mmCIF file with all atom_site columns, all heavy atoms in Angstrom:
data_model
loop_
_atom_site.group_PDB
_atom_site.id
_atom_site.type_symbol
_atom_site.label_atom_id
_atom_site.label_alt_id
_atom_site.label_comp_id
_atom_site.label_asym_id
_atom_site.label_entity_id
_atom_site.label_seq_id
_atom_site.pdbx_PDB_ins_code
_atom_site.Cartn_x
_atom_site.Cartn_y
_atom_site.Cartn_z
_atom_site.occupancy
_atom_site.B_iso_or_equiv
_atom_site.pdbx_formal_charge
_atom_site.auth_seq_id
_atom_site.auth_comp_id
_atom_site.auth_asym_id
_atom_site.auth_atom_id
_atom_site.pdbx_PDB_model_num
ATOM 1  N N   . CYS P 1 410 ? 42.129 -47.213 17.151 1.00 96.00 ? 430 CYS P N   1
ATOM 2  C CA  . CYS P 1 410 ? 41.064 -48.210 17.201 1.00 96.00 ? 430 CYS P CA  1
ATOM 3  C C   . CYS P 1 410 ? 40.994 -48.884 15.838 1.00 96.00 ? 430 CYS P C   1
ATOM 4  O O   . CYS P 1 410 ? 41.675 -48.487 14.892 1.00 96.00 ? 430 CYS P O   1
ATOM 5  C CB  . CYS P 1 410 ? 39.737 -47.577 17.591 1.00 96.00 ? 430 CYS P CB  1
ATOM 6  S SG  . CYS P 1 410 ? 39.128 -46.346 16.424 1.00 96.00 ? 430 CYS P SG  1
ATOM 7  N N   . MET P 1 411 ? 40.172 -49.895 15.733 1.00 96.00 ? 431 MET P N   1
ATOM 8  C CA  . MET P 1 411 ? 39.967 -50.529 14.434 1.00 96.00 ? 431 MET P CA  1
ATOM 9  C C   . MET P 1 411 ? 38.793 -49.820 13.753 1.00 96.00 ? 431 MET P C   1
ATOM 10 O O   . MET P 1 411 ? 38.837 -48.629 13.569 1.00 96.00 ? 431 MET P O   1
ATOM 11 C CB  . MET P 1 411 ? 39.752 -52.034 14.596 1.00 96.00 ? 431 MET P CB  1
ATOM 12 C CG  . MET P 1 411 ? 40.978 -52.751 15.153 1.00 96.00 ? 431 MET P CG  1
ATOM 13 S SD  . MET P 1 411 ? 42.464 -52.571 14.112 1.00 96.00 ? 431 MET P SD  1
ATOM 14 C CE  . MET P 1 411 ? 42.012 -53.532 12.699 1.00 96.00 ? 431 MET P CE  1
ATOM 15 N N   . HIS P 1 412 ? 37.710 -50.521 13.477 1.00 96.00 ? 432 HIS P N   1
ATOM 16 C CA  . HIS P 1 412 ? 36.629 -49.952 12.667 1.00 96.00 ? 432 HIS P CA  1
ATOM 17 C C   . HIS P 1 412 ? 35.581 -49.250 13.489 1.00 96.00 ? 432 HIS P C   1
ATOM 18 O O   . HIS P 1 412 ? 34.608 -48.753 12.957 1.00 96.00 ? 432 HIS P O   1
ATOM 19 C CB  . HIS P 1 412 ? 35.972 -51.066 11.870 1.00 96.00 ? 432 HIS P CB  1
ATOM 20 C CG  . HIS P 1 412 ? 35.417 -52.127 12.775 1.00 96.00 ? 432 HIS P CG  1
ATOM 21 N ND1 . HIS P 1 412 ? 36.178 -52.700 13.764 1.00 96.00 ? 432 HIS P ND1 1
ATOM 22 C CD2 . HIS P 1 412 ? 34.196 -52.659 12.866 1.00 96.00 ? 432 HIS P CD2 1
ATOM 23 C CE1 . HIS P 1 412 ? 35.429 -53.568 14.414 1.00 96.00 ? 432 HIS P CE1 1
ATOM 24 N NE2 . HIS P 1 412 ? 34.227 -53.563 13.904 1.00 96.00 ? 432 HIS P NE2 1
ATOM 25 N N   . GLU P 1 413 ? 35.715 -49.239 14.825 1.00 97.00 ? 433 GLU P N   1
ATOM 26 C CA  . GLU P 1 413 ? 34.701 -48.557 15.631 1.00 97.00 ? 433 GLU P CA  1
ATOM 27 C C   . GLU P 1 413 ? 35.343 -47.817 16.789 1.00 97.00 ? 433 GLU P C   1
ATOM 28 O O   . GLU P 1 413 ? 36.360 -48.235 17.322 1.00 97.00 ? 433 GLU P O   1
ATOM 29 C CB  . GLU P 1 413 ? 33.598 -49.510 16.110 1.00 97.00 ? 433 GLU P CB  1
ATOM 30 C CG  . GLU P 1 413 ? 34.071 -50.823 16.647 1.00 97.00 ? 433 GLU P CG  1
ATOM 31 C CD  . GLU P 1 413 ? 32.971 -51.884 16.666 1.00 97.00 ? 433 GLU P CD  1
ATOM 32 O OE1 . GLU P 1 413 ? 31.848 -51.633 16.200 1.00 97.00 ? 433 GLU P OE1 1
ATOM 33 O OE2 . GLU P 1 413 ? 33.255 -52.976 17.163 1.00 97.00 ? 433 GLU P OE2 1
ATOM 34 N N   . ALA P 1 414 ? 34.715 -46.682 17.147 1.00 97.00 ? 434 ALA P N   1
ATOM 35 C CA  . ALA P 1 414 ? 35.217 -45.835 18.217 1.00 97.00 ? 434 ALA P CA  1
ATOM 36 C C   . ALA P 1 414 ? 34.338 -46.048 19.442 1.00 97.00 ? 434 ALA P C   1
ATOM 37 O O   . ALA P 1 414 ? 33.112 -46.043 19.339 1.00 97.00 ? 434 ALA P O   1
ATOM 38 C CB  . ALA P 1 414 ? 35.177 -44.370 17.784 1.00 97.00 ? 434 ALA P CB  1
ATOM 39 N N   . LEU P 1 415 ? 34.999 -46.229 20.598 1.00 97.00 ? 435 LEU P N   1
ATOM 40 C CA  . LEU P 1 415 ? 34.251 -46.518 21.826 1.00 97.00 ? 435 LEU P CA  1
ATOM 41 C C   . LEU P 1 415 ? 34.412 -45.357 22.811 1.00 97.00 ? 435 LEU P C   1
ATOM 42 O O   . LEU P 1 415 ? 35.532 -44.941 23.101 1.00 97.00 ? 435 LEU P O   1
ATOM 43 C CB  . LEU P 1 415 ? 34.786 -47.822 22.438 1.00 97.00 ? 435 LEU P CB  1
ATOM 44 C CG  . LEU P 1 415 ? 34.151 -48.304 23.735 1.00 97.00 ? 435 LEU P CG  1
ATOM 45 C CD1 . LEU P 1 415 ? 32.655 -48.559 23.567 1.00 97.00 ? 435 LEU P CD1 1
ATOM 46 C CD2 . LEU P 1 415 ? 34.831 -49.598 24.204 1.00 97.00 ? 435 LEU P CD2 1
ATOM 47 N N   . PHE P 1 416 ? 33.260 -44.858 23.302 1.00 98.00 ? 436 PHE P N   1
ATOM 48 C CA  . PHE P 1 416 ? 33.268 -43.805 24.315 1.00 98.00 ? 436 PHE P CA  1
ATOM 49 C C   . PHE P 1 416 ? 32.461 -44.275 25.519 1.00 98.00 ? 436 PHE P C   1
ATOM 50 O O   . PHE P 1 416 ? 31.712 -45.256 25.430 1.00 98.00 ? 436 PHE P O   1
ATOM 51 C CB  . PHE P 1 416 ? 32.634 -42.516 23.756 1.00 98.00 ? 436 PHE P CB  1
ATOM 52 C CG  . PHE P 1 416 ? 33.381 -41.939 22.578 1.00 98.00 ? 436 PHE P CG  1
ATOM 53 C CD1 . PHE P 1 416 ? 32.921 -42.139 21.286 1.00 98.00 ? 436 PHE P CD1 1
ATOM 54 C CD2 . PHE P 1 416 ? 34.553 -41.207 22.766 1.00 98.00 ? 436 PHE P CD2 1
ATOM 55 C CE1 . PHE P 1 416 ? 33.601 -41.622 20.192 1.00 98.00 ? 436 PHE P CE1 1
ATOM 56 C CE2 . PHE P 1 416 ? 35.247 -40.680 21.677 1.00 98.00 ? 436 PHE P CE2 1
ATOM 57 C CZ  . PHE P 1 416 ? 34.776 -40.882 20.396 1.00 98.00 ? 436 PHE P CZ  1
ATOM 58 N N   . SER P 1 417 ? 32.633 -43.546 26.641 1.00 98.00 ? 437 SER P N   1
ATOM 59 C CA  . SER P 1 417 ? 31.852 -43.889 27.828 1.00 98.00 ? 437 SER P CA  1
ATOM 60 C C   . SER P 1 417 ? 31.159 -42.628 28.348 1.00 98.00 ? 437 SER P C   1
ATOM 61 O O   . SER P 1 417 ? 31.395 -41.532 27.848 1.00 98.00 ? 437 SER P O   1
ATOM 62 C CB  . SER P 1 417 ? 32.757 -44.465 28.911 1.00 98.00 ? 437 SER P CB  1
ATOM 63 O OG  . SER P 1 417 ? 33.334 -43.406 29.653 1.00 98.00 ? 437 SER P OG  1
ATOM 64 N N   . ASP P 1 418 ? 30.337 -42.803 29.399 1.00 97.00 ? 438 ASP P N   1
ATOM 65 C CA  . ASP P 1 418 ? 29.604 -41.662 29.958 1.00 97.00 ? 438 ASP P CA  1
ATOM 66 C C   . ASP P 1 418 ? 30.364 -40.994 31.107 1.00 97.00 ? 438 ASP P C   1
ATOM 67 O O   . ASP P 1 418 ? 29.802 -40.167 31.824 1.00 97.00 ? 438 ASP P O   1
ATOM 68 C CB  . ASP P 1 418 ? 28.211 -42.129 30.438 1.00 97.00 ? 438 ASP P CB  1
ATOM 69 C CG  . ASP P 1 418 ? 28.301 -43.169 31.542 1.00 97.00 ? 438 ASP P CG  1
ATOM 70 O OD1 . ASP P 1 418 ? 29.439 -43.563 31.912 1.00 97.00 ? 438 ASP P OD1 1
ATOM 71 O OD2 . ASP P 1 418 ? 27.247 -43.611 32.039 1.00 97.00 ? 438 ASP P OD2 1
ATOM 72 N N   . ALA P 1 419 ? 31.667 -41.335 31.265 1.00 96.00 ? 439 ALA P N   1
ATOM 73 C CA  . ALA P 1 419 ? 32.383 -40.891 32.466 1.00 96.00 ? 439 ALA P CA  1
ATOM 74 C C   . ALA P 1 419 ? 32.496 -39.370 32.603 1.00 96.00 ? 439 ALA P C   1
ATOM 75 O O   . ALA P 1 419 ? 32.572 -38.856 33.711 1.00 96.00 ? 439 ALA P O   1
ATOM 76 C CB  . ALA P 1 419 ? 33.777 -41.520 32.496 1.00 96.00 ? 439 ALA P CB  1
ATOM 77 N N   . ASN P 1 420 ? 32.474 -38.638 31.479 1.00 94.00 ? 440 ASN P N   1
ATOM 78 C CA  . ASN P 1 420 ? 32.713 -37.196 31.542 1.00 94.00 ? 440 ASN P CA  1
ATOM 79 C C   . ASN P 1 420 ? 31.446 -36.346 31.637 1.00 94.00 ? 440 ASN P C   1
ATOM 80 O O   . ASN P 1 420 ? 31.519 -35.125 31.597 1.00 94.00 ? 440 ASN P O   1
ATOM 81 C CB  . ASN P 1 420 ? 33.462 -36.740 30.290 1.00 94.00 ? 440 ASN P CB  1
ATOM 82 C CG  . ASN P 1 420 ? 34.947 -36.938 30.447 1.00 94.00 ? 440 ASN P CG  1
ATOM 83 O OD1 . ASN P 1 420 ? 35.399 -37.178 31.565 1.00 94.00 ? 440 ASN P OD1 1
ATOM 84 N ND2 . ASN P 1 420 ? 35.675 -36.849 29.355 1.00 94.00 ? 440 ASN P ND2 1
ATOM 85 N N   . LEU P 1 421 ? 30.279 -36.981 31.702 1.00 97.00 ? 441 LEU P N   1
ATOM 86 C CA  . LEU P 1 421 ? 29.040 -36.202 31.666 1.00 97.00 ? 441 LEU P CA  1
ATOM 87 C C   . LEU P 1 421 ? 28.741 -35.615 33.049 1.00 97.00 ? 441 LEU P C   1
ATOM 88 O O   . LEU P 1 421 ? 29.243 -36.096 34.059 1.00 97.00 ? 441 LEU P O   1
ATOM 89 C CB  . LEU P 1 421 ? 27.883 -37.083 31.197 1.00 97.00 ? 441 LEU P CB  1
ATOM 90 C CG  . LEU P 1 421 ? 28.144 -37.904 29.917 1.00 97.00 ? 441 LEU P CG  1
ATOM 91 C CD1 . LEU P 1 421 ? 26.899 -38.676 29.517 1.00 97.00 ? 441 LEU P CD1 1
ATOM 92 C CD2 . LEU P 1 421 ? 28.622 -36.998 28.783 1.00 97.00 ? 441 LEU P CD2 1
#
Side-chain angles (χ1 to χ4, degrees):
C430 63
M431 295 300 291
H432 59 309
E433 45 199 4
L435 180 60
F436 298 101
S437 85
D438 62 358
N440 276 347
L441 311 183

